[in-house]
Structures are given as C-alpha cells and as structure tokens.
Amino acid sequence: MDDETSSTMAAVGPRLKGLRTQRGLSLTALAQTSGISLSTLSRLESGHRRPTLELLLPLARVLRVDIGELIGAPPTGDPRVRLTPVTRHGMTMLPLARRAGSPQAYKLIFSPRTRSPEPERSSHEGYEWIYVLDGRLRLLLGDNDLVLGPGEAAEFDTRTPHWFGNADEHPVELLSLLGRQGERAQLRARTLPRD
C-alpha cells in the first residue's frame, strides 16, 4: 500500500469519531443502529482496525453521509445536494437534509390520485409540523377533520391517530418536519431595541 492510501485509511477512524460525536451518538448507539459490534467500532475509530467496504457502507447509511465523506474523498466541485426522492402510491417524498438525528425535514407532494374516500389513520412515536406550500391539504387528527390552505401550518403529537392528503382533486405540496416524541417547535427571535 502506498503512503497516500495508508494516510487516507488512517484518517477514517478520526473522521468516523468526529461524525459520530457531531451527531451526538455514543459508540453503543452507533453499534446498535449499524449492526457493527461495539469492539469493531472502537478499534476502527482508534485505528486498530482497517476500514472495509462492508464496514463503511452501513456506517455511511446510519450517519447519513456519502461514503466519500468517511474516507476523505476530494470534493467534486459540484455544490448541489443530491437527495433522492421516493414516490409511493402517488406521494413523492423528498428529504431536504442528510443530517442524522432530529428533526428530519421533507417536502411532500400528493398527486390528485392519492385522494382517498376512506383514509386510514395511523399513529407512531414522534412530533410533526406541517406547512402547506400549495393546494389544499386535508388533515384528520383525532376527532378533527381540517382543511389547510397555502401558508397554513399544523403541529401535532404523532401518537394521535392521523392522516393527511389531498382535500380535493388538485395536487398539494407541503413541508414536513418530523421530530422526536415530546420535541416541540422552538422559535428563537431576537428582539429589536426600542427607539
């Protein structure tokens, strides 16, 4: 192995540790989410274990980084973030950030064909904020049946049975932030001095 390759491989451990601590993850938490043993991760971070593709791929996925960021690949010069949209049952979900942790941000687009006469409500751990960009969104939340238009927002505990989708035959676009249970929106505004 040449010197450049050796130094690149040696830098993976400290880079991995930096990404892990930046995201507030313990070694134990990273081991649980990646499926890699605690001892292997510890040796990898300390430089006592050589990184392999089998180790780097799940770590990149859990840390939500490109594998090039783990190995220190030079930047390509293209500053655009390339996040892959997912389309299911007429809904397109575009993740807006690659950052691990909470909250997660998405842009959702519901095509008119996702409109359901008998929507199925679901519940799960978390807290969600939604903001309608365009169209009319129907939100079923507990006993409430609401319609939100552009510029309107809602926030709710996702343990409450809920469903949202098109309110009519037109597409609807919204922003969604999904956070941990009990996490509430906190706005930080600077007060201006009075004259």
Side-chain angles (χ1 to χ4, degrees), residues 5 9 51 64 95 149 154-155 157 167 195:
T5 303
M9 298 299 262
R64 295 183 184 229
E155 63 175 308
D157 184 323
D195 291 329

Side-chain angles (χ1 to χ4, degrees), residues 24-64:
L25 290 171
S26 66
L27 264 176
T28 303
L30 184 57
Q32 289 172 345
T33 55
S34 68
I36 299 171
S37 75
L38 184 62
S39 63
T40 299
L41 284 176
S42 178
R43 291 188 328 217
L44 188 59
E45 282 191 0
S46 66
H48 293 102
R49 168 88 190 241
R50 280 189 64 179
T52 63
L53 195 56
E54 289 80 16
L55 295 173
L56 294 176
L57 284 173
L59 291 171
R61 189 171 31 257
V62 168
L63 295 170
R64 295 183 184 229

